[in-house]
Every structure is written in structure tokens, then in C-alpha cells.
């Protein structure tokens, strides 16, 4: 069966520090991968979308970037965090129509 | 861009009662997803609907998509405390937006024993 992992589960970082969040999927090949952010008052918003290794689409302009170095690995990064980057970051995967989410990473920027 | 509106925003029911959550789209839906979320946790996939008039059930939860594919409802029969959480509908606009989901603001469900 397929599983999706995200780490770390929680993270507290100061403004201006770098960020790296990781997502890995097991039990499937060639998945579409997604990064979403859930922020207070703003709902759940798609940030990045990838259909394959090295193929990244950004959905909203922001201070973040994403990379997909391996088929089942998706990384969310920032060089310098802003207070507005705080939120709950969710990775998701799909092969057909159904889309499944990971457990999320709670990021607090102080 | 596609917008989804969920109603009600919050719902408090007594255990055993039936309830319905609605999700309305500003555009025709290619796919409509229902998820459940416990606070601070990831989303649990419930159901996905694609065809106009489609209805799916899982245990005590039934989801329907109207014929025009712009409105969906989620119905819980004989609610239990385990049904409590945040219910989110998500829409897939299809075409070049395939797989890129837009979500409603969520409905917070509380079930009192």
C-alpha cells in the first residue's frame, strides 16, 4: 500500500533563516506531487505542483521554492523565511484522480 | 479562478442526529473531493465525485454531486463523536488545472455525546 511521509512534524524558525521540508511517497511510481499551505484565515492553498523529476510548477508568487530530485521525493525550501511563511504545510500525491495527503509540517516563524 | 463556498461554517449536533454540509462552486466542476481533517493533522480522503448526479457512500457518509456539477452535499447519518472534525471540499477544474485542487474554507463539525 502507498504511504506518504513528511518531516519534520513541527518547526520553529527565526525570520531570515533557511527552510527545508521534505516529503516522500512509498508504494507508487511516477506520482504527481503537490505542496499546499494551510494558513489561518486563508484556507488551504496550492503552492507547487510536479508531474515528474525536475518538473515544478509554481501556483502563487512567494518566498518559497520546490524541488523534486527523485521520483518520490518533494522538497520545499526557502533561503530567508518571512513571518508570513508560518502555517501548516501539506504534501500530497496522486496517480489517478484521487489525491492523498501527508500528515503535515507545522511551521512557526518567529 | 474557481471558488468554493461551504455551508455552514460550523455545525454542532447531538450524537445520533443526521446532518448535511454543502459545497457550491462558481464554475462547473471536473471533480469534487471531500476530505476530513482533525485539527493539526493531515487530510483524510473520503470520496471523489466526477459525474453529474453521482452519489457515493462510505459507512454512514454519503456524498452527492448535482446534475449541473456545481454543487455537492455531504450527508452523515446517525452522527457519532468520531465524525467530529473539519470537513473540506476541494475542486478540480480539469484541463490544464488537472489535479490542482481549490478548497473551500471548511466546515467545523462538533458532535456532542
Amino acid at each position: 500500500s502507498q504511504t506518504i511521509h513528511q518531516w519534520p512534524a513541527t518547526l520553529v524558525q527565526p525570520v531570515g533563516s533557511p527552510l527545508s521540508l521534505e516529503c516522500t511517497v512509498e508504494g507508487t511510481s511516477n506520482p504527481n506531487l503537490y505542496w499546499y499551505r494551510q494558513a489561518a484565515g486563508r484556507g488551504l492553498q496550492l503552492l507547487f505542483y510536479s508531474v515528474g523529476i525536475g518538473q515544478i510548477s509554481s501556483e502563487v508568487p512567494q518566498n518559497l521554492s520546490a524541488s523534486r530530485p527523485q521520483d518520490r521525493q518533494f522538497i520545499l525550501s526557502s533561503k530567508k523565511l518571512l513571518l508570513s511563511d508560518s502555517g501548516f504545510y501539506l504534501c500530497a500525491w496522486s496517480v489517478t484522480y484521487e489525491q492523498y495527503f501527508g500528515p503535515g509540517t507545522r511551521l512557526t516563524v518567529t | 479562478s474557481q471558488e468554493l463556498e461551504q455551508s455552514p461554517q460550523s455545525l454542532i449536533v447531538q450524537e445520533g442526529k443526521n446532518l448535511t454540509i454543502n459545497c457550491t462552486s462558481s464554475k462547473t466542476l471536473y471533480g469534487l473531493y471531500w476530505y476530513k481533517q482533525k485539527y493539526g493533522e493531515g487530510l483524510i480522503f473520503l470520496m471523489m465525485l466526477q459525474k453529474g448526479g453521482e452519489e457515493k457512500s462510505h459507512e454512514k457518509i454519503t456524498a452527492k454531486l448535482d446534475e449541473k456539477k456545481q454543487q455537492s452535499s455531504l450527508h452523515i447519518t446517525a452522527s457519532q463523536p468520531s465524525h467530529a472534525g473539519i470537513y473540506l471540499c476541494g475542486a478540480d477544474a480539469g484541463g490544464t488545472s488537472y489535479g490542482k485542487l481549490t478548497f473551500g474554507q471548511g466546515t467545523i463539525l462538533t458532535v456532542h455525546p
Side-chain angles (χ1 to χ4, degrees):
Chain A
S1 64
Q2 301 88 359
T3 56
I4 178 169
H5 304 279
Q6 287 187 245
W7 64 89
T10 60
L11 193 58
V12 180
Q13 293 285 97
V15 169
S17 64
L19 172 74
S20 181
L21 303 182
E22 191 165 342
C23 169
T24 58
V25 181
E26 297 177 355
T28 188
S29 297
N30 303 315
N32 290 340
L33 296 174
Y34 313 83
W35 278 112
Y36 290 85
R37 178 171 60 201
Q38 194 172 35
R42 298 185 64 181
L44 188 58
Q45 184 180 35
L46 178 64
L47 302 177
F48 297 98
Y49 165 68
S50 173
V51 298
I53 296 173
Q55 300 179 64
I56 310 293
S57 297
S58 175
E59 295 301 304
V60 293
Q62 59 203 310
N63 184 43
L64 302 168
S65 62
S67 62
R68 185 171 177 175
Q70 299 180 41
D71 181 45
R72 289 170 288 180
Q73 184 184 31
F74 206 21
I75 297 172
L76 185 70
S77 304
S78 175
K79 292 182 179 179
K80 290 185 178 181
L81 283 168
L82 305 172
L83 285 174
S84 58
D85 292 324
S86 292
F88 191 48
Y89 288 82
L90 291 155
C91 180
W93 70 273
S94 69
V95 173
T96 56
Y97 300 112
E98 297 175 356
Q99 193 167 131
Y100 298 94
F101 284 76
T105 294
R106 174 75 58 190
L107 172 65
T108 302
V109 182
T110 61
Chain B
S1 62
Q2 187 160 43
E3 293 185 359
L4 291 179
E5 186 172 331
Q6 284 186 239
S7 62
Q9 291 185 334
S10 64
L11 192 54
I12 301 173
V13 300
Q14 204 68 29
E15 182 177 1
K17 296 295 185 182
N18 302 336
L19 63 103
T20 299
I21 298 169
N22 294 300
C23 177
T24 302
S25 171
S26 58
K27 298 181 180 180
T28 300
L29 298 164
Y30 177 79
L32 190 285
Y33 297 69
W34 283 102
Y35 291 89
K36 178 186 174 184
Q37 184 181 29
K38 293 283 190 180
Y39 181 76
E41 300 181 8
L43 276 62
I44 300 169
F45 175 83
L46 296 175
M47 277 168 279
M48 183 217 172
L49 305 165
Q50 278 189 295
K51 300 176 183 178
E54 187 175 11
E55 179 176 322
K56 288 186 178 179
S57 294
H58 177 66
E59 298 181 344
K60 295 185 178 181
I61 301 176
T62 300
K64 301 178 184 180
L65 183 62
D66 75 336
E67 291 289 344
K68 293 184 178 180
K69 297 174 65 175
Q70 285 191 276
Q71 189 166 27
S72 178
S73 61
L74 186 80
H75 184 77
I76 299 178
T77 303
S79 59
Q80 301 170 352
S82 61
H83 288 127
I86 303 168
Y87 288 82
L88 292 154
C89 65
D92 184 341
T96 57
S97 297
Y98 171 65
K100 303 174 188 177
L101 303 186
T102 303
F103 284 88
Q105 290 295 99
T107 295
I108 302 172
L109 173 63
T110 304
V111 181
H112 287 311

